[in-house]
Amino acid sequence: EENRLGGLLPGATVEACSEFTGIGGFEHGLEAGFEEAGLWLRLVEASELDDTSSGLHATAVLRKRFPDCVVLGPESRKQQRYRATAAMLTVTPICTQHSGLNADGIPDLTDETLRGVFARIGSAPSLEVIAFENVPNFLSLLEGQERSSYSLWV
């Protein structure tokens, strides 16, 4: 019992799904942190564009980092539930609408994009941890919230 970390024994593997994964930087960092704690993170499903030049680059890096991960396009992701074996979900909201470089940004579009994610979360009883990456200005712009943390754990 003393060797447990958050209810997990050393060497345990936590399976995860990911939304808006990009190159998997958030998940790559989590994987290193898990390993440092004597645990393993296994990304089993990710979601990224495959039909744009930047999407093709992202999925290529993602597949190299996580060769056993199933990479779904956004439309495929919308049609499927999260894997029943996944205890963790990572979400990296698309930052385009929040960027200071985008003078025409509409932050409310992120809310629309995330509605489907929240619906899938609602039908995924196996998820125990949901980690939102705080892309630049995402959390600080939601309902005027002030956040200093880079990530929001729900």
Side-chain angles (χ1 to χ4, degrees), residues 2 119 150:
E2 293 177 19
Y150 191 70

Side-chain angles (χ1 to χ4, degrees), residues 21-93:
T21 315
I23 62 170
F26 187 41
E27 295 75 16
H28 191 61
L30 285 171
E31 184 179 52
F34 271 62
E35 187 174 339
E36 188 175 294
L39 302 169
W40 302 104
L41 178 71
R42 181 172 175 251
L43 187 62
V44 293
E45 280 186 359
S47 173
E48 185 50 61
L49 293 172
D50 235 345
D51 59 352
T52 66
S53 59
S54 60
L56 287 173
H57 166 74
T59 55
V61 174
L62 185 58
R63 287 183 173 111
K64 183 173 181 174
R65 283 185 170 161
F66 303 98
D68 298 326
C69 178
V70 174
V71 180
L72 303 169
E75 293 307 312
S76 298
R77 161 50 66 221
K78 289 177 186 177
Q79 306 303 318
Q80 296 187 33
R81 293 179 178 214
Y82 300 117
R83 285 204 189 172
T85 58
M88 182 175 193
L89 173 69
T90 63
V91 182
T92 302

Side-chain angles (χ1 to χ4, degrees), residues 137-148:
N137 300 318
F138 172 61
L139 291 178
S140 62
L141 290 176
L142 288 180
E143 298 176 12
Q145 297 178 46
E146 294 288 331
R147 300 274 192 224
S148 59

